[in-house]
């Protein structure tokens, strides 16, 4: 086969090259216009260059800054034992997993992780995928289709919105944490012809507001109307409940949640997504979750790191790290009283997008990395700073941040 394979249909010649360049110029010109428009609205995003691993401090543009931007709530992304588990798995099983698990199989780190997840969460079964985002895109369309109805809280994560759209089901957006609205939507859905299946999507801790869903009442409602509940515990795992498995456990409703869903990338300090539930659920997803079937399995190191992280979370050390998060949080909220202490995600509401960016830049100049969160992550005009409190922070860090937040206009 010649080196040019794949381009064999093209006649070699300047015309093709020239037309290709022209098309690219047109694309770039168009995209540049779009970027300029984002810039003028204070909505342009760029990637920051960080030179160190995640931790209490990170090296940003050659400067050490306090990191209040990470979802690594328990500080496990830089835990020596977790990193060592990843390194050992890479040595034992290699860097890659070869193919989708349906093609090249589940390796010991995948199986160990899933057994540990199910045992920890108290479910019959668990299934790990490459990311939480990918899991949502696979799971939701596997469960419901065009004859069904999905009711989603207005503030759910983009992956649940996209998964719901991809499913082709009829979507109804519920006002945030509004049980009366949910009840009226459920009642409407139940009265649709053809007895559609109804799937409710919500989060236990909302990723940008840090508030919590009223899970007990929600579970009552979904049972009353015979709906299914998929609960995204991305920001609750490791932090809530006696075993720190999340809010479903903390509120005593875990066995009644049909699909417990989350990420291995936040408090568990690794990367990947999971679904916990019945054996039938995961057996079915192996057959129908397209992001599981058509995507390379998680790398052994990521699975092994998450497995080890679960062990740490379950241990006295995990209890101590978790308690540390809540202590740091109260050290912040007792000083800046208008801030919410419902979860380690603490929004500082600003409103206007450019104002949020400029406040974030001022804090950065003072040595604090506190990201500005803007549309489309939150609604227009609801821009904010988002402080993530972690076990890695010290009491002094919290005092300094409180002072900076109080003092920085
Ligand atoms: C981060 C996040 C996800 C996606 O998880 P990843 O593993 O990062 O893809 C899903 N839901 C919520 C609420 C999240 O914050």
């Amino acid at each position: 086969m010649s080196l040019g394979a794949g381009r064999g249909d093209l006649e070699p010649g300047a015309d093709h090259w020239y037309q290709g360049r022209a098309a690219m110029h047109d694309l770039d010109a168009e995209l540049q216009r779009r970027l300029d428009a984002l810039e003028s609205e204070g909505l342009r995003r760029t990637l920051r260059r960080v030179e160190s691993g995640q931790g209490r401090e990170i090296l940003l543009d050659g400067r050490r800054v306090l990191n209040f931007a990470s979802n690594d709530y328990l500080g496990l992304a830089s835990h020596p034992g977790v990193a060592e588990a990843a390194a050992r798995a890479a040595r034992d099983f290699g860097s890659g997993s070869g193919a989708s698990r349906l093609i090249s199989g589940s390796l010991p780190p995948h199986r160990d992780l899933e057994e540990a997840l199910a045992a920890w969460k108290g479910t019959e079964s668990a299934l790990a995928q490459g990311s939480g985002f990918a899991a949502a895109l696979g799971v939701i369309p596997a469960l419901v289709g065009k004859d069904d109805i999905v009711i989603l809280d207005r503030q759910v994560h983009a992956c649940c919105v996209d998964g719901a759209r991809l499913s082709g089901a009829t979507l109804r957006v519920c006002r945030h944490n509004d049980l009366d609205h949910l009840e009226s939507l459920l009642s409407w859905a139940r009265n649709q012809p053809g007895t559609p299946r109804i799937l409710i999507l919500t989060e236990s801790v909302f990723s940008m507001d840090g508030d919590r869903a009223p899970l007990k009442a929600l579970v009552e409602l979904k049972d009353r109307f015979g709906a299914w509940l998929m609960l995204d515990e991305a920001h609750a795992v490791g932090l809530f409940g006696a075993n720190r498995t999340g809010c479903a456990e903390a509120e005593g409703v875990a066995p009644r949640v049909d699909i417990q869903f989350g990420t291995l990338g936040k408090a568990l300090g690794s990367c990947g997504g999971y679904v916990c539930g019945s054996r039938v659920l995961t057996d079915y997803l192996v057959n129908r979750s397209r992001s599981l079937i058509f995507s390379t399995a998680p790398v052994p190191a990521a699975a092994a790191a998450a497995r080890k992280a679960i062990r740490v979370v379950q241990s006295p050390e995990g209890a101590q790290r978790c308690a540390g998060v809540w202590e740091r949080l109260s050290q912040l909220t007792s000083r800046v009283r208008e801030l919410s202490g419902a979860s380690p995600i603490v929004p500082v509401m600003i409103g206007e997008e450019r104002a949020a960016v400029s406040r974030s830049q001022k804090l950065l100049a003072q040595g604090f990395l506190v990201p500005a969160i803007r549309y489309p992550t939150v609604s227009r005009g609801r821009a904010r700073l988002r402080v993530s409190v972690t076990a890695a922070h010290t009491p002094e860090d919290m005092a300094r941040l409180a002072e900076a937040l109080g003092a920085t206009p």
Side-chain angles (χ1 to χ4, degrees):
M1 196 179 280
S2 78
L3 275 179
R7 288 187 288 155
D9 293 344
L10 290 179
E11 286 293 320
D15 278 349
H16 291 298
W17 180 84
Y18 178 74
Q19 284 163 13
R21 288 304 302 163
M24 270 164 62
H25 280 310
D26 180 59
L27 172 71
D28 287 348
E30 170 62 29
L31 298 186
Q32 190 59 53
R33 273 193 296 278
R34 295 186 203 174
L35 282 172
D36 293 345
L38 287 174
E39 181 82 49
S40 72
E41 292 179 271
L43 294 176
R44 176 156 182 182
R45 295 152 183 237
T46 54
L47 298 172
R48 293 180 203 279
R49 291 176 62 106
V50 174
E51 309 297 339
S52 59
Q54 282 301 303
R56 170 181 164 260
E57 280 191 327
I58 53 175
L59 196 58
L60 185 71
D61 297 327
R63 214 158 59 91
R64 298 219 150 269
V65 295
L66 272 178
N67 181 12
F68 287 103
S70 172
N71 301 313
D72 176 27
Y73 299 112
L74 299 176
L76 296 183
S78 55
H79 186 287
V82 174
E84 180 51 33
R88 201 177 318 121
R91 281 194 298 269
D92 291 351
F93 299 101
S95 56
S97 47
S100 154
R101 283 163 71 190
L102 283 159
I103 304 294
S104 60
S106 285
L107 296 171
H110 301 133
R111 303 198 301 270
D112 291 349
L113 169 63
E114 288 172 348
E115 274 168 30
L117 272 167
W120 182 42
K121 289 273 199 173
T123 54
E124 236 173 40
S125 185
L127 189 65
Q129 286 201 224
S131 75
F133 203 112
L137 293 190
V139 171
I140 300 166
L143 300 177
V144 288
K146 65 175 179 33
D147 299 326
D148 303 318
I149 295 171
V150 174
I151 301 176
L152 58 169
D153 187 281
R154 185 159 185 277
Q155 308 284 18
V156 292
H157 191 263
C159 64
C160 286
V161 175
D162 290 1
R165 284 186 177 144
L166 196 58
S167 75
T170 300
L171 307 190
R172 284 292 177 274
V173 176
C174 184
R175 287 194 290 269
H176 180 52
N177 278 347
D178 184 334
L179 291 165
D180 292 335
H181 193 210
L182 177 62
E183 181 167 3
S184 73
L185 290 172
L186 283 167
S187 157
W188 165 83
R190 252 306 144 250
N191 287 314
Q192 293 308 296
T195 51
R197 293 172 197 86
I198 307 168
L199 176 67
I200 301 171
L201 299 175
T202 197
E203 267 164 52
S204 50
V205 171
F206 285 86
S207 61
M208 296 301 143
D209 290 278
D211 58 341
R212 293 166 57 181
L215 285 185
K216 269 204 186 101
L218 216 145
V219 166
E220 292 297 326
L221 269 181
K222 75 103 190 167
D223 279 350
R224 178 141 68 84
F225 285 91
W228 300 334
L229 173 62
M230 175 160 160
L231 182 63
D232 183 346
E233 295 252 39
H235 294 276
V237 157
L239 297 168
F240 292 87
N243 298 309
R244 296 173 286 287
T245 67
C247 290
E249 182 203 356
E251 303 210 15
V253 295
R256 294 163 71 190
V257 174
D258 304 271
I259 304 120
Q260 298 191 43
F261 158 69
T263 176
L264 309 171
K266 287 166 182 159
L268 296 175
S270 177
C271 180
Y274 70 79
V275 180
C276 288
S278 66
R279 168 70 59 191
V280 178
L281 171 71
T282 58
D283 282 353
Y284 180 73
L285 291 175
V286 167
N287 287 272
R288 280 292 181 271
S289 168
R290 289 169 64 83
S291 57
L292 177 94
I293 298 169
F294 297 105
S295 187
T296 304
V299 297
R307 168 68 187 97
K308 174 65 182 177
I310 291 170
R311 224 176 248 145
V312 175
V313 171
Q314 289 175 310
S315 73
E317 180 189 348
Q320 201 182 347
R321 283 177 180 257
C322 179
V325 176
W326 294 107
E327 269 166 37
R328 297 302 159 266
L329 180 64
S330 74
Q331 285 156 356
L332 177 64
T333 54
S334 64
R335 287 183 174 92
V336 190
R337 298 221 166 248
E338 62 270 27
L339 297 181
S340 152
S343 79
I345 300 167
V346 184
V348 181
M349 296 307 298
I350 306 282
E352 209 270 327
E353 284 74 21
R354 277 163 301 198
V357 173
S358 113
R359 183 118 187 245
S360 170
Q361 282 165 349
K362 278 186 198 155
L363 284 167
L364 190 59
Q366 294 173 269
F368 304 96
L369 177 61
V370 181
I373 306 290
R374 295 161 281 168
Y375 177 83
T377 309
V378 294
S379 314
R380 280 184 198 272
R382 303 257 312 146
R384 67 201 61 186
L385 303 177
R386 178 182 184 272
V387 176
S388 294
V389 177
T390 78
H393 293 118
T394 67
E396 298 74 55
D397 296 340
M398 304 322 293
R400 284 179 51 207
L401 177 68
E403 195 182 326
L405 286 176
T408 316

